[in-house]
Every structure is written in C-alpha cells, then in structure tokens.
Amino acid sequence: MERTSSQQAGDLTGRRRLLKGAALAVIPYALLPSAPARARPRTVEHHWADWLPADPSNYTASRRPASHPLDRVVIHVTQATYTTTLGIFQNPRKEVSAHYVVRSADGHVAQCVHEHDIAWHAGNWDYNTRSIGIEHEGWVERPGYFTDALYEESARLTAGICTRYGIPRDREHIIGHYEVPGTDHTDPGPKWDWNRYMRLVNRA
C-alpha cells in the first residue's frame, strides 16, 4: 500500500542518521564478497550493474514514468561502507533505499531498486516520486573516497538515466541531496567536485 506524503516524510527523516549509525570501519576490498554471476538479471536498467535488491518493505512499487514523471537525479553519499549500505537497504526495518550504490574503490555499481519503482532516498515524497537516487560510498568529510573510478562510473550511470528519460544534463536536474526541499542533509558535501562530475556526465 502506498504511503501518504506525511508518512513518507516521517519515515525518512532519520535516513542519514541510520546510515551514520550503521557505519563500520573500512573493510579491505580484497575481502569483500563478489556478487554472484546470477545476481545481475536481464532486467537491470544499467548494463554494468549487479542486481542486489532492497527489501520490498523499503520502497514503493510503481510504474514510472507512466505513474509519475521522472525529471531528477539525486546524488547522495552513504556515510557508510558499500557493504553496510547494501545491508541497510536489505533490512526490512530500515525503511530506506536508493536505486543505485556506487563503490569507491572501483566504481562498481549495484542496482537495488528498479527505476520504475520509487526508492525512499530523498526524505521528500514529491522528490522521491520524480527522481532516481544514487548513493556513493564514502563520507562527506573524506574526499579520498571520491575516486576517479567512482566519478567516472557514476557519471556514466547518470548519463544513461538522463538519456532514458529525457532529463537535461544540468545542475537543475542533477542535484545533491542537500538541494532537496526540506532536507537537513549536507551530502554529497563541499568536497564533491560538481564541475568535474558534470563534465563527465556530459561527455558520457
């Protein structure tokens, strides 16, 4: 059953706090489990993504863009590791998700929610219904997590989303979480290089 605007706003207010609270020490990437080959079904929208789904309790099933127009991409930073973030999205009690998570070390992309469904990522129901949310592994105060691979693969992902839905590749339509009306979040933070990111999006 689809939630009301007020319910969504209440549910998602603590989103970043949940991510921060679950953050773990950085895990060596050699020890991270690789997604099995079967994890990527043919139905992923981003060709290079692995399908690592969020629990259905953490997003709203929909039929976008038929049910809601899609005109935004929202850029997030996890404040947690890649694996921790995926675990949060897979926990039915957390009531939070994003469509994609991009790993810092190599730019690997996990798709957690189908683009036609509504992920609970923005803390604003209107923006949730009209946007695709992309989480980036890292912390806003630690720019070392914003690697070349992360920027490049995220830009390729965003460019593909813009092409699929006719979203202009500009800063009015590709925004940070801090630009969502009513938010108290700061991500992706002042260390995120918007000029570089937008150049890569427009070249992809």
Side-chain angles (χ1 to χ4, degrees):
M1 180 169 62
E2 189 160 325
R3 295 163 177 252
T4 65
S5 299
S6 59
Q7 287 174 320
Q8 282 296 328
D11 288 343
L12 300 176
T13 299
R15 176 181 181 281
R16 193 62 57 191
R17 295 188 190 93
L18 288 170
L19 288 175
K20 287 181 179 178
L24 300 175
V26 177
I27 302 170
Y29 284 97
L31 301 180
L32 292 178
S34 298
R38 66 180 179 278
R40 188 173 74 186
R42 295 177 182 176
T43 54
V44 292
E45 285 89 359
H46 183 64
H47 178 72
W48 296 276
D50 279 325
W51 177 239
L52 298 172
D55 189 273
S57 299
N58 294 335
Y59 63 88
T60 300
S62 189
R63 297 176 295 102
R64 303 187 307 171
S67 59
H68 302 85
L70 276 167
D71 62 6
R72 295 286 188 280
V73 177
V74 181
I75 302 300
H76 301 270
V77 170
T78 60
Q79 298 295 108
T81 66
Y82 172 84
T83 51
T84 296
T85 301
L86 294 175
I88 291 169
F89 293 171
Q90 292 163 356
N91 184 334
R93 296 185 302 275
K94 295 300 186 180
E95 299 187 334
V96 61
S97 62
H99 294 92
Y100 295 98
V101 184
V102 183
R103 192 160 63 197
S104 171
D106 56 5
H108 178 77
V109 177
Q111 182 168 0
C112 303
V113 177
H114 284 298
E115 292 175 4
H116 60 77
D117 292 329
I118 301 168
W120 300 348
H121 63 98
N124 175 311
W125 181 241
D126 178 55
Y127 272 66
N128 280 344
T129 65
R130 67 195 301 175
S131 67
I132 301 293
I134 304 176
E135 287 280 3
H136 297 81
E137 181 186 23
W139 284 261
V140 296
E141 70 278 8
R142 298 164 70 179
Y145 276 88
F146 305 153
T147 61
D148 291 346
L150 178 140
Y151 274 120
E152 290 163 6
E153 294 306 316
S154 175
R156 179 161 63 161
L157 170 61
T158 293
I161 293 166
C162 290
T163 297
R164 280 191 287 282
Y165 302 106
I167 301 172
R169 300 185 190 193
D170 59 34
R171 284 285 285 115
E172 182 180 349
H173 298 87
I174 301 169
I175 66 173
H177 192 182
Y178 73 96
E179 295 172 288
V180 173
T183 188
D184 61 355
H185 298 151
T186 63
D187 57 309
K191 306 295 186 181
W192 181 264
D193 190 339
W194 278 110
N195 290 333
R196 177 185 183 187
Y197 187 68
M198 295 305 300
R199 282 196 304 271
L200 289 168
V201 169
N202 281 286
R203 289 174 185 169

